């Protein structure tokens, strides 16, 4: 596409967006339609939503859990960012989860939730999500809805095409958005084409507590974008969209939009496994952290060194490039595993590649060129069809399991429905505004539920009450159960929802952890009864072994602390009942409060920096006498002769 055509597309898109805003602001909704939509999303008090939706928090660094069809926010799962609501990243048990080779990094940019799968179908065990900025991937357990594991990705920058999962959760993948010198080195940026590379990492995902980089693939210095794994006949392959095949390093909006086609990278990971087993991988430097919550629910950080790296020229049949118009973002595989749909943001049609044709083209060596040892398959040898009249700015496609595909169009602010096989567009619906990704529960799996679609829009404008310059992003719930799509609900999302996945609630609820067994608490500072509560000094460090139960702490009066002491409050919640957490906060803490689940132990460190008497209290309303759940800690001048003492109720 020449630049004048691109300019025309952008101009048309601007007009369409203005018309959409004006039309929406002036329209009067049909009363009966509004009532039907309200009934469709109504979840009666005391009843449950049909689906859990897991939505990326983007620049919040977190994962949010929404109910569908209600659109209600159920939980924020702390992943890559400190979270004062429950003390994640502040407590001594969870701080190790945020350790990296760059030091303690309490933030990231979380993009792509991915549910674990069995036989290509979400199974409700885990959800994975990536950290884009400091390259990391995380595993969240769907029994506790807590982050259990984080792995740093070496030899990577901009971990965007991540953590897309293979159909039996063998691997999650992680690819570089930004190509850089690998290994990192002081190299002139002008040497980009000669010296910069990308990587694709395959991370073992089916062994809780043991996530690790199985191998990496050294790739040309492009930008690698969204990915999806094959399924059924294409199991064993993963497909990545790529852009900036021009290998530009400045003003990419112009310089990375010159080529008529970029690529989808088709990676045969089973061939990669064989090449590693055959000794064809090179030992490569790479220092990275593996962080996980151990059986005692205490974070542990381990430094790892070195990775196995495959170079395509050393492993024939590992990677192929499929030419794809133009600046693709999404690459999606239909439920049958046959069709690979690539959304070229600057293309006028939506290309659909055929896995069967790709295999035949490889057998026939129907290649047009080679790039860094990677064959480029001829476009006409791999393309199944181009979907015409798709819209402007096609981005991401998912499937309903009934032969239909749904594609977002960022520039024309719409979702288009089209048929697999006939390639005809059969419906379209406007969304407000500038939709990025969409989500159908199970929509990238072998068995989509195919009832709802959620459009994740990048611009909100006039959809909600105004909140100044910064607005919540807008998600829209669309009914796709019939021939025509129907808008049911707008609901705001937390952070920027780059991507989402959803699963039937009953697949998750059966795994629910209601409380932790107190007698199985393996935290080295845990206590199992009030009789074990105590305060002990070790030089300038004071350990407070504290119990919490409705509605008091033990101890709740503590004396003998001196200025300069470091006080470790180890708080164990003795409750063994569902939904009875206790909080703990103390005046002057420079971390956060703790929120301690029943049967669990969490630790916060407090520095005594001035004499006085400091209140502490429970932060979570736990009983009718919650306000009475408080205590005092006395700090005396350094060197004073006030002995350590503690009590509750006089004993």
């Amino acid at each position: 596409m020449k630049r004048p055509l691109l300019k025309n597309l952008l101009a048309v898109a601007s007009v369409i967006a203005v018309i959409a805003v004006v039309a929406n602001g002036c329209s009067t909704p049909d009363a009966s339609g509004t009532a039907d939509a309200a009934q469709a999303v109504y979840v009666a008090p005391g009843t449950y939503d049909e689906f859990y939706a897991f939505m990326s928090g983007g620049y919040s660094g977190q994962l949010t859990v929404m109910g569908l069809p209600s659109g209600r926010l159920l939980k924020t799962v702390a992943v890559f960012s400190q979270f004062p609501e429950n003390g994640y990243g502040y407590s001594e048990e969870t701080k190790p989860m945020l350790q990296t080779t760059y030091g303690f990094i309490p933030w990231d940019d979380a993009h792509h939730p991915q549910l674990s799968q069995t036989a290509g179908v979400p199974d409700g065990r885990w959800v994975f999500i990536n950290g884009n900025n400091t390259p990391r991937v995380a595993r969240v357990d769907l029994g506790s809805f807590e982050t259990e594991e984080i792995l740093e990705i070496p030899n990577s920058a901009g971990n965007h095409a991540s953590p897309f999962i293979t159909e039996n959760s063998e691997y999650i993948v992680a690819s570089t958005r930004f190509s850089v010198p690998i290994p990192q080195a002081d190299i002139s940026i002008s040497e980009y084409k000669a010296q910069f590379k990308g990587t694709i990492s395959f991370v073992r995902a089916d062994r809780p507590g043991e996530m690790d980089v199985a191998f990496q693939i050294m790739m040309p210095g492009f930008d690698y974008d969204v990915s999806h794994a094959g399924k059924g006949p294409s199991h064993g392959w993963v497909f990545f969209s790529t852009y900036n095949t021009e290998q530009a390093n400045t003003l990419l909006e112009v310089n990375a939009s010159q080529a008529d086609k970029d690529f989808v990278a088709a990676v045969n990971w089973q061939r990669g496994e064989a090449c590693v087993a055959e000794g064809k991988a090179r030992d490569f430097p790479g220092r990275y952290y593996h962080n996980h919550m151990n059986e005692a629910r205490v974070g542990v950080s381990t430094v790892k060194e070195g990775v196995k790296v495959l170079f395509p020229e050393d492993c024939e049949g590992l990677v192929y490039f499929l030419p794809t118009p133009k600046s693709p973002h999404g690459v999606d595989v239909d439920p049958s595993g046959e069709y690979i749909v690539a959304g070229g943001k600057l293309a006028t049609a939506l290309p659909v590649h055929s896995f069967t044709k790709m295999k035949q083209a490889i057998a026939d060596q129907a290649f047009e060129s080679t790039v860094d040892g990677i064959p480029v398959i001829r476009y006409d040898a791999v393309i199944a069809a181009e979907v015409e009249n798709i819209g402007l700015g096609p981005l991401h496609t998912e499937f309903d399991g009934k032969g239909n595909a749904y594609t977002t169009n960022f520039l024309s602010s719409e979702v288009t429905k089209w048929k697999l096989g006939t390639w005809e567009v059969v419906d379209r619906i406007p969304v407000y505004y500038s939709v990025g990704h969409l989500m159908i529960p199970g929509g990238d799996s072998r068995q989509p539920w195919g009832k709802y679609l959620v459009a994740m829009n990048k611009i909100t404008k006039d959809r909600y009450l105004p909140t100044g310059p910064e607005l919540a992003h807008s998600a829209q719930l669309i009914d796709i159960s019939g021939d025509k799509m129907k808008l049911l609900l707008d609901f705001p999302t937390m952070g920027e929802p780059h991507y989402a996945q959803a699963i039937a609630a009953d697949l998750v609820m059966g795994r629910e952890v209601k409380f932790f067994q107190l007698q199985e608490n393996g935290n080295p500072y845990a206590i199992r009864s009030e009789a074990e509560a105590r305060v002990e000094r070790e030089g300038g460090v004071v350990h407070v072994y504290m119990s919490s139960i409705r509605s008091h702490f033990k101890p709740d009066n503590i004396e003998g602390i001196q200025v300069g002491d470091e006080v470790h409050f180890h708080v164990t919640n003795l409750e063994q009942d569902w939904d009875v957490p206790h909080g703990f906060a103390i005046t002057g803490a420079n971390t956060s409060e703790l929120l301690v689940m029943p049967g669990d132990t969490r630790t916060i460190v407090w520095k005594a920096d001035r004499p006085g008497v400091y209140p502490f209290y429970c932060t979570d309303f736990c009983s009718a006498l919650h306000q009475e759940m408080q205590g005092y800690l006395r700090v005396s001048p350094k060197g004073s002769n006030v002995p350590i003492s503690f009590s509750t109720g006089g004993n």
Side-chain angles (χ1 to χ4, degrees), residues 482-556:
D483 291 335
K484 294 293 183 181
M485 294 180 279
K486 298 177 183 177
L487 178 61
L488 300 178
L489 179 70
D490 285 13
F491 61 94
T493 58
M494 302 300 102
E496 184 181 359
H498 292 266
Y499 201 81
Q501 292 210 312
I503 190 171
D506 57 6
L507 290 176
V508 176
M509 290 174 63
R511 302 177 185 274
E512 182 178 53
V513 174
K514 293 188 174 182
F515 57 85
F516 299 102
Q517 296 292 331
L518 183 62
Q519 295 307 312
E520 297 175 4
N521 186 330
N523 189 301
Y525 298 103
I527 59 177
R528 291 174 178 78
S529 70
E530 290 191 347
E532 298 178 25
R534 62 196 186 274
V535 180
E536 297 176 348
R537 175 180 289 281
E538 297 177 0
V541 176
V542 177
H543 292 275
V544 179
Y545 296 79
M546 179 179 285
S547 66
S548 62
I549 197 166
R550 287 167 287 185
S551 296
H552 63 272
F553 295 106
K554 187 169 184 179
D556 65 5

Side-chain angles (χ1 to χ4, degrees), residues 401-462:
K402 296 177 283 189
N404 301 305
Y406 301 77
T407 299
T408 57
N409 293 280
F410 180 84
L411 296 178
S412 51
S413 294
E414 62 182 332
V415 174
T416 306
K417 176 181 177 180
W418 52 277
K419 283 196 164 296
L420 289 160
T422 68
W423 322 117
E424 60 180 319
V425 171
V426 294
D427 194 21
R428 56 202 327 133
I429 189 171
V431 287
Y432 307 99
Y433 305 95
S434 298
V435 60
H437 289 280
L438 57 79
M439 178 270 287
I440 295 170
D444 69 346
S445 76
R446 297 190 73 176
Q447 295 179 15
W449 279 271
K451 184 174 183 179
Y452 299 116
L453 180 152
V454 176
M456 287 164 274
N457 306 325
K458 297 298 187 183
I459 297 173
T460 301
K461 293 291 187 188
D462 53 5

Side-chain angles (χ1 to χ4, degrees), residues 69-409:
S70 73
R72 297 181 294 197
L73 175 64
L74 303 177
K75 183 178 177 66
T76 297
V77 179
V79 185
F80 298 114
S81 296
Q82 288 178 307
F83 193 53
E85 183 175 310
N86 63 12
Y88 179 86
Y90 293 102
S91 71
E92 296 304 298
E93 287 81 5
T94 57
K95 280 182 180 178
M97 298 298 286
L98 301 178
Q99 191 64 38
T100 76
T101 55
Y102 298 92
F104 179 78
I105 304 294
W107 173 84
D108 217 309
D109 184 15
H111 275 230
H112 300 124
Q114 282 285 289
L115 288 158
S116 58
Q117 294 187 2
T118 300
V121 180
D123 55 30
R125 292 178 294 169
W126 315 305
V127 60
F128 300 88
I129 191 166
N130 64 319
N132 186 34
N133 188 59
T134 303
R136 290 177 278 184
V137 290
R139 180 176 62 86
V140 174
D141 184 89
L142 291 184
S144 63
F145 280 69
E146 294 183 358
T147 302
E148 295 287 341
E149 199 165 3
I150 296 179
L151 181 73
E152 188 178 6
I153 306 297
N155 302 320
S156 179
N159 177 42
H160 189 253
S162 171
F164 297 94
I165 197 162
T166 58
E167 72 171 4
N168 286 300
S169 305
E170 300 96 338
Y171 296 104
I172 52 175
V173 298
S175 186
T176 50
R177 173 181 172 184
F178 311 115
S179 289
V180 292
I182 298 176
Q184 275 284 14
D186 177 17
I187 294 173
S188 171
I189 299 170
S190 65
E191 293 295 308
Y192 186 107
K193 288 187 178 181
Q195 299 288 345
F196 287 40
K197 294 291 184 181
T199 58
I200 295 174
S201 302
F202 284 80
V203 175
R204 288 299 316 194
D206 55 354
R207 303 168 186 170
E210 300 178 14
M211 284 172 60
D212 202 357
V213 178
F215 60 92
Q216 296 183 309
I217 302 173
M218 193 68 71
M219 297 291 289
F222 306 154
D223 289 42
Y224 296 86
D225 216 331
V226 176
S227 170
H228 273 99
K231 51 182 75 86
S234 53
H235 174 64
W237 292 77
V238 181
F239 304 92
F240 297 81
S241 61
T242 73
Y243 64 99
N244 192 24
T245 54
E246 298 87 347
Q247 295 184 277
N249 60 274
T250 183
L251 198 62
L252 264 64
E253 65 174 329
V254 174
N255 294 322
S257 301
Q258 299 299 308
D260 183 56
K261 290 184 175 65
D262 290 294
F263 297 130
V264 165
V267 179
N268 185 339
W269 58 260
Q270 290 181 331
R271 175 64 181 144
E273 287 180 326
C275 286
V276 171
E278 293 164 9
K280 295 181 178 180
R282 306 182 195 180
D283 292 322
F284 220 75
R287 187 170 183 265
Y288 58 106
Y289 268 82
H290 175 242
N291 309 320
H292 75 285
M293 299 297 289
N294 65 14
E295 292 182 354
R297 292 181 44 74
V298 174
V300 176
S301 291
T302 304
V303 179
K304 293 179 173 288
E305 298 278 359
V307 288
K308 298 288 186 183
V309 176
L310 289 169
F311 285 69
E313 60 265 32
D314 298 335
C315 180
E316 185 180 358
L318 178 62
V319 186
Y320 297 90
F321 282 142
L322 318 182
T324 299
K326 167 181 188 178
S327 296
H329 185 64
V331 59
D332 305 283
V333 181
D334 84 303
S336 74
E338 168 62 16
Y339 296 118
I340 303 141
V341 183
K345 300 191 299 289
L346 303 182
T348 55
L350 185 70
V352 182
H353 298 299
S354 162
F355 181 73
T356 299
K357 292 186 71 173
M358 185 193 83
K359 294 285 285 184
Q360 188 61 52
I362 292 169
D364 295 342
Q365 297 193 4
F367 307 139
E368 63 180 42
S369 62
T370 300
V371 179
D372 287 6
I374 300 172
V376 180
I377 299 175
R378 290 200 328 265
Y379 185 67
D380 65 340
V382 72
I383 195 73
E386 291 182 343
V387 182
E388 303 290 344
N389 193 31
I390 194 68
L392 297 179
L395 200 74
H396 176 206
T397 300
E398 289 204 354
F399 309 91
D400 64 7
K402 296 177 283 189
N404 301 305
Y406 301 77
T407 299
T408 57
N409 293 280

